[in-house]
Amino acid sequence: MYNRVILVGNLTRDVEIRYTPSGSAIGKVGIATNRKWKDQSGQQKEEVMFIDLTFFGRSAEIANQYLRKGSKVLVEGRLVLEQWTAQDGTKRSRHSVTVDNLQMLDRPGENSGQPQTNQNAPASAPRQPAQPSVPEIDIDEDEIPF
């Protein structure tokens, strides 16, 4: 089976990063994406979707360092079903996307100012510039159909 999700949208909050006991980073954030269409009467409609994202390892650290609430990103990953038992004993579940590839779509200096530093990160976590997972392509924003 094939499980692949590609989303373009804006982050709904700053990245929340935590570290496992072994030192691996896990980052969680939300993304908002929308679609616009006209209904049968010609009236403009809009649908907004809010999706939870999870980053692991170096991707989580890069996302935490360079992304902010409102940052525009393209993410590629897989859909996962998270299941747990709540404190009141009820079984809960939700879908989220585990991110494999991240592309930052904001232009340098837009929406973020300076890279964020996280005071909770262990001292051994090195900070290096982001390495894009997809080659940069020079595209005029007016040519993008969405």
Side-chain angles (χ1 to χ4, degrees), residues 37-126:
W37 77 96
K38 290 186 180 181
D39 64 10
Q40 292 177 346
S41 65
Q43 189 174 16
Q44 186 77 25
K45 298 283 186 175
E46 182 175 14
E47 175 185 62
V48 180
M49 296 290 298
F50 298 95
I51 300 116
D52 291 321
L53 304 176
T54 304
F55 297 90
F56 289 97
R58 187 71 184 129
S59 294
E61 293 175 342
I62 289 169
N64 182 55
Q65 185 175 359
Y66 291 99
L67 299 178
R68 303 279 173 285
K69 177 180 179 178
S71 294
K72 185 176 284 194
V73 296
L74 180 147
V75 293
E76 180 180 354
R78 57 191 166 84
L79 190 63
V80 295
L81 178 64
E82 299 174 6
Q83 297 177 319
W84 70 97
T85 303
Q87 289 181 347
D88 62 4
T90 59
K91 293 191 182 239
R92 307 286 310 264
S93 65
R94 73 172 170 214
H95 283 94
S96 67
V97 173
T98 297
V99 177
D100 296 324
N101 294 309
L102 163 68
Q103 185 171 3
M104 298 172 221
L105 300 179
D106 286 329
R107 294 175 188 216
E110 269 186 351
N111 193 35
S112 61
Q114 297 296 322
Q116 177 180 350
T117 56
N118 186 340
Q119 304 304 325
N120 298 329
S124 63

Side-chain angles (χ1 to χ4, degrees), residues 120-135:
N120 298 329
S124 63
R127 297 287 185 197
Q128 297 174 355
Q131 297 295 322
S133 60
V134 179

Side-chain angles (χ1 to χ4, degrees), residues 5-48:
V5 177
I6 300 172
L7 299 168
V8 174
N10 295 343
L11 299 185
T12 60
R13 60 187 183 273
D14 288 346
V15 177
E16 176 187 323
I17 193 164
R18 295 186 179 178
Y19 289 86
T20 64
S22 65
S24 297
I26 300 172
K28 292 196 176 264
V29 72
I31 189 173
T33 186
N34 66 334
R35 74 177 184 108
K36 295 179 182 180
W37 77 96
K38 290 186 180 181
D39 64 10
Q40 292 177 346
S41 65
Q43 189 174 16
Q44 186 77 25
K45 298 283 186 175
E46 182 175 14
E47 175 185 62
V48 180

